[in-house]
Amino acid sequence: MKFVDEFRSSELAQGLVRSIQHHSTRRARFMEFCGGHTVTIMKHGIRQLLPPTIEMLSGPGCPVCVTDNADLDKAVALAHVPGVILTTFGDMLKVPGSRSSLQEARADGADVRIVYSTLDALQIARDNPARPVVFLGIGFETTAPTVAASVLQADQEGLHNYHVLSLHKLCPPVIKALLDSGEVRLNGLICPGHVSAVIGSKAWEFISREYGIPCVVSGFEPLDVLQCVYMLVSQVEKSECKVEIAYRRGVRPEGNQRALELMDRVFEPCPARWRGMGQVAATGLRFRKTYQRFDAESAFDFDPGPTLEPKGCICGEILRAVKTPRDCQLFGKVCTPASPVGPCMVSSEGSCAAYYLYGAAE
Amino acid sequence: MSDKIIMAHGSGGKLAHELIEKTFLNALANPLLAKLDDSAVFDFKGRLAFTTDSYVVKPIFFPGGDIGRLAVCGTINDLAMSGAVPLYLSLAFIIEEGLLRDDLIRILTSIQATSKEAGVLIVTGDTKVVDRGSADKLFINTAGLGLVPNGVNISGSNAKPGDKVILSGTMGDHGIAVMSQREGLIFSTLLSSDCAPLNGLVADMIEASSRIHAMRDPTRGGLATTLNELAAQSKVGIRIEEEKIPVRDEVRGACEMLGLDPLYVANEGKLVALVGPEDAEAVLEKMRRNSYGREASIIGEVRQDHPGRVVMKTRIGASRIVDMLVGDPLPRIC
């Protein structure tokens, strides 16, 4: 299949692996920020092919996983507001909040519907003019512009029953926070591909400049990731430190201006709660005053109740790359995709789920 | 005759009789069914295979099939996977009031055509009508009886180290064809469901070899789940190669788009067989001559190591575990 097979070619992969093995002499620790990369790495067994000089860490780049229980509880509480139709991407359905998941809320009678795009949510709002429709806005810079577009569309159409619970998060500032904490030392960052398609590779320049960490933006096919690792190794070996793109078919240095404009017109940065990291300044997106009426948080009266954290779950530390799923006592025993304790085991891009489902065969 | 099924059609009274005689018998008539006794009575000698299944697929018509063809094929295939020759089926219909009679007739016609193709008879049946919302258009429950030929001993627990893993064709066609029609997810595809009766293919395979140890149709949960079941039941390891698993471009494209793995997508006209290595080529050759096995290939082998686990050599040369499907990322597909 075009644009897939070329990037999964076993010959080219073997060639890249040989180049990496040949060039890598210095010990280096790379982090893939994005959950999508974690899945590619685990699913294709990329770690087994890398030389022992290279250590790979999984970062916090799974929007489902980093959603704090307090925010999840808001979504569940909103779903229970009489009359509300809560629309969400499917991934969020099973994530356990403090007391209930959206899936359980649905079983309890809440009207929770899976949509594949914000356009579906808008359609539901048009079809149900007498009922408020809330879209659960979870995602990074990749998703936020499409949500902003839906808000502008609703505004244009005069759809007064459409609302968004904005739990969007921004990537570069949270990586900054992670590096500032000093908990993790990195020799290279695999920058998220689709986020970078929106924000541009330039958005990562401060990391190489201020923290001295090589950055390479990667796509999501195995060859993309291997090429990215090869480019990071080259920088490390030459003691270079710059931002490069190993995903030229998707990412430009300046990003997608149109998408950024949409996002900026509707939302403004605000503090956000991250699972495992607490509140981090300027990593969230809230509605600008002009579009406040679409904000589900101010449109409804609801009580999410006190926040509870699952006992023994180390998702927070896993998201900070301080620990790996295998360090967790619950992993694979109490906590499995069938009965997840923490969100990293639920989401298809969660580290724990990827380790569990595709765990190396040795 | 009303053009919709109404509650009174399930009352057991006049309308119910009219529905059975004018609609059901018209489409499905055979001497055993036409007697309209409370049960079908027939002679039977030998080892029996007996199975049951329910069908709730949504939508009831999809590219390449419908709930009726699916019900007949699914039941036949369950019998065939034990090496049985399928003979008789029962069909019970749970109809939501409001179903168009024309839709019902279309489904019954399809049932008749499929059972004819497979050489089985529908010998008993039942109809219930439930009020709106209590079912979704139409549910079908089936049972099937088949005869296991002497000397045939095929079971999920019979796989042996060294067996070759033979797959009868491409993976994921049914699941993706059904999903393409799903409300809220309609995307256009030329893809058809692979829904088909496999008893003919199985008969050919049994003719070619007495060393077919295990066989299963990878329906819900897909190939990954089926191989895990076989590995667990037989307490063996299974090793497959990603590159050798046939998947249509349309299916791969849709899976990429939807974030699905074709190994977990349902099939309704495919089988996987674990066959003694000395006979594998002969079975493969025979399969490829059958229209439902044209794209058959050997995708891996049964191993002594890692019992209960399925391991796949990935395209880029590493290996990873292939686990069972967890949860249900898919709509109702069968």
Side-chain angles (χ1 to χ4, degrees), chain B residues 192-258:
Chain B
S192 285
S193 163
D194 57 1
C195 181
L198 297 175
N199 52 329
L201 179 65
V202 170
D204 288 355
M205 292 167 69
I206 289 175
E207 201 186 293
S209 167
S210 57
R211 292 193 180 85
I212 299 170
H213 295 142
M215 208 155 37
R216 197 150 287 175
D217 51 342
T219 54
R220 266 183 319 175
L223 179 66
T225 303
T226 296
L227 290 178
N228 270 284
E229 287 168 4
L230 293 171
Q233 260 180 280
S234 293
K235 301 185 181 65
V236 292
I238 294 180
R239 192 169 171 85
I240 55 172
E241 291 183 42
E242 186 172 22
E243 213 148 24
K244 295 195 172 154
I245 301 167
V247 181
R248 283 185 210 292
D249 273 358
E250 299 93 309
V251 171
R252 287 176 61 193
C255 282
E256 291 294 328
M257 190 171 82
L258 298 168

Side-chain angles (χ1 to χ4, degrees), chain B residues 41-318:
Chain B
V41 179
F42 42 77
D43 292 323
F44 215 102
K45 259 199 201 101
R47 271 200 305 156
L48 279 180
F50 182 37
T51 187
T52 182
D53 210 339
S54 297
Y55 297 84
V56 297
V57 65
K58 179 183 187 171
I60 57 175
F61 298 101
F62 48 83
D66 56 77
I67 191 169
R69 180 169 171 84
L70 190 65
V72 174
C73 292
T75 312
I76 286 173
N77 292 348
D78 281 349
L79 292 170
M81 292 310 119
S82 320
V85 177
L87 296 172
Y88 300 124
L89 304 188
S90 77
L91 294 179
F93 294 76
I94 296 167
I95 305 173
E96 184 189 26
E97 65 174 328
L99 179 73
L100 293 177
R101 188 186 289 257
D102 281 350
D103 282 352
L104 182 60
I105 291 172
R106 224 175 117 194
I107 287 162
L108 292 170
T109 311
S110 160
I111 287 172
Q112 180 67 343
T114 310
S115 47
K116 219 168 169 183
E117 178 193 347
V120 297
L121 290 179
I122 315 291
V123 292
T124 184
D126 181 51
T127 308
K128 294 283 185 299
V129 181
V130 296
D131 46 17
R132 209 170 259 278
S134 293
D136 194 355
K137 289 200 168 129
L138 176 63
F139 296 158
I140 301 178
N141 170 266
T142 67
L145 274 181
L147 192 60
V148 186
N150 279 334
V152 171
N153 180 19
I154 299 173
S155 157
S157 46
N158 286 355
K160 292 174 180 55
D163 283 356
K164 297 289 178 196
V165 181
I166 305 181
L167 190 60
S168 70
T170 53
M171 287 293 98
D173 299 11
H174 174 74
I176 296 298
V178 170
M179 284 186 85
S180 73
Q181 299 300 302
R182 196 198 177 197
E183 218 179 317
L185 188 63
I186 291 175
F187 53 91
S188 84
T189 171
L190 296 173
L191 198 68
S192 285
S193 163
D194 57 1
C195 181
L198 297 175
N199 52 329
L201 179 65
V202 170
D204 288 355
M205 292 167 69
I206 289 175
E207 201 186 293
S209 167
S210 57
R211 292 193 180 85
I212 299 170
H213 295 142
M215 208 155 37
R216 197 150 287 175
D217 51 342
T219 54
R220 266 183 319 175
L223 179 66
T225 303
T226 296
L227 290 178
N228 270 284
E229 287 168 4
L230 293 171
Q233 260 180 280
S234 293
K235 301 185 181 65
V236 292
I238 294 180
R239 192 169 171 85
I240 55 172
E241 291 183 42
E242 186 172 22
E243 213 148 24
K244 295 195 172 154
I245 301 167
V247 181
R248 283 185 210 292
D249 273 358
E250 299 93 309
V251 171
R252 287 176 61 193
C255 282
E256 291 294 328
M257 190 171 82
L258 298 168
L260 302 174
D261 186 337
L263 293 186
Y264 294 92
V265 180
N267 311 279
E268 289 293 346
K270 299 290 156 51
L271 64 83
V272 58
L274 308 182
V275 181
E278 55 276 61
D279 283 4
E281 284 299 330
V283 171
L284 188 66
E285 200 175 303
K286 194 92 187 191
M287 288 173 79
R288 284 181 175 162
R289 272 190 243 140
N290 185 298
S291 60
Y292 292 132
R294 228 165 252 149
E295 292 166 283
S297 53
I298 295 176
I299 60 161
E301 62 175 13
V302 177
R303 308 267 291 237
Q304 209 149 20
D305 46 355
H306 56 79
R309 282 198 150 166
V310 180
V311 172
M312 180 165 80
K313 186 177 163 221
T314 67
R315 234 169 258 272
I316 63 167

Side-chain angles (χ1 to χ4, degrees), chain A residues 202-259:
Chain A
K202 278 187 181 165
W204 306 105
E205 277 174 0
F206 76 96
I207 292 183
S208 51
R209 198 174 54 236
E210 292 169 27
Y211 296 87
I213 297 174
C215 293
V216 179
V217 178
S218 174
F220 294 89
E221 294 301 330
L223 281 194
D224 290 321
V225 173
L226 284 171
Q227 192 197 356
C228 172
V229 170
Y230 172 72
M231 289 162 85
L232 284 173
V233 166
S234 300
Q235 288 199 43
V236 168
E237 296 299 326
K238 289 188 235 163
S239 301
E240 284 180 349
C241 185
K242 55 188 176 187
V243 176
E244 294 180 293
I245 303 174
Y247 190 30
R248 293 204 172 273
R249 66 188 185 285
V251 176
R252 284 169 297 184
E254 68 281 6
N256 180 338
Q257 286 305 317
R258 175 105 179 89

Side-chain angles (χ1 to χ4, degrees), chain A residues 31-335:
Chain A
M31 177 197 271
E32 82 272 1
F33 170 81
C34 177
H37 287 147
T38 307
V39 171
T40 301
I41 289 166
M42 298 305 290
K43 191 170 171 181
H44 296 277
I46 287 175
R47 281 186 188 195
Q48 301 158 45
L49 304 175
L50 297 178
T53 37
I54 297 172
E55 184 188 350
M56 300 287 285
L57 296 180
S58 303
C62 158
V64 173
C65 305
V66 295
T67 302
D68 193 78
N69 264 10
D71 287 335
L72 275 170
D73 296 344
K74 281 184 196 168
V76 172
L78 267 169
H80 281 299
V81 171
V84 161
I85 301 171
L86 188 97
T87 57
T88 173
F89 293 136
D91 253 12
M92 288 306 295
L93 213 64
K94 298 180 206 161
V95 185
S98 294
R99 279 159 297 275
S100 158
S101 63
L102 285 171
Q103 186 171 247
E104 287 159 330
R106 185 159 75 176
D108 288 340
D111 192 346
V112 179
R113 302 187 193 178
I114 294 179
V115 292
Y116 294 88
S117 118
T118 49
L119 299 179
D120 296 341
L122 278 182
Q123 192 54 46
I124 293 174
R126 285 183 205 110
D127 295 343
N128 298 275
R131 295 179 61 186
V133 173
V134 176
F135 178 74
L136 182 50
I138 300 249
F140 296 137
E141 292 92 334
T142 333
T143 319
T146 69
V147 179
S150 76
V151 168
L152 294 173
Q153 180 72 28
D155 188 40
Q156 203 182 346
E157 289 181 32
L159 273 178
H160 298 297
N161 61 332
Y162 181 67
H163 303 275
V164 173
L165 178 62
S166 177
L167 302 174
H168 300 102
K169 296 197 168 49
L170 303 174
C171 296
V174 82
I175 294 191
K176 182 174 161 37
L178 204 63
L179 294 172
D180 285 342
S181 77
E183 278 189 319
V184 185
R185 289 186 191 287
L186 299 178
N187 308 100
L189 182 67
I190 298 178
C191 299
H194 295 149
V195 166
S196 303
V198 173
I199 65 175
S201 62
K202 278 187 181 165
W204 306 105
E205 277 174 0
F206 76 96
I207 292 183
S208 51
R209 198 174 54 236
E210 292 169 27
Y211 296 87
I213 297 174
C215 293
V216 179
V217 178
S218 174
F220 294 89
E221 294 301 330
L223 281 194
D224 290 321
V225 173
L226 284 171
Q227 192 197 356
C228 172
V229 170
Y230 172 72
M231 289 162 85
L232 284 173
V233 166
S234 300
Q235 288 199 43
V236 168
E237 296 299 326
K238 289 188 235 163
S239 301
E240 284 180 349
C241 185
K242 55 188 176 187
V243 176
E244 294 180 293
I245 303 174
Y247 190 30
R248 293 204 172 273
R249 66 188 185 285
V251 176
R252 284 169 297 184
E254 68 281 6
N256 180 338
Q257 286 305 317
R258 175 105 179 89
L260 288 170
E261 275 163 31
L262 284 175
M263 195 162 82
D264 186 55
R265 202 184 317 167
V266 176
F267 298 116
E268 62 186 9
C270 68
R273 269 187 305 265
W274 292 68
R275 183 182 297 271
M277 299 181 69
Q279 184 145 309
V280 186
T283 54
L285 288 174
R286 67 179 170 218
F287 278 93
R288 289 191 185 277
K289 283 237 158 56
T290 331
Y291 299 101
Q292 194 78 54
R293 65 182 180 285
F294 293 99
D295 183 4
E297 231 177 317
S298 44
F300 300 96
D301 195 19
F302 60 97
D303 175 19
T307 312
L308 305 170
E309 297 296 340
K311 277 207 182 88
C313 172
I314 61 163
C315 276
E317 286 151 288
I318 291 168
L319 289 166
R320 297 204 307 272
V322 177
K323 290 195 173 162
T324 75
R326 293 203 181 91
D327 295 328
C328 181
Q329 294 196 336
L330 308 183
F331 179 77
K333 299 181 191 106
V334 182
C335 183

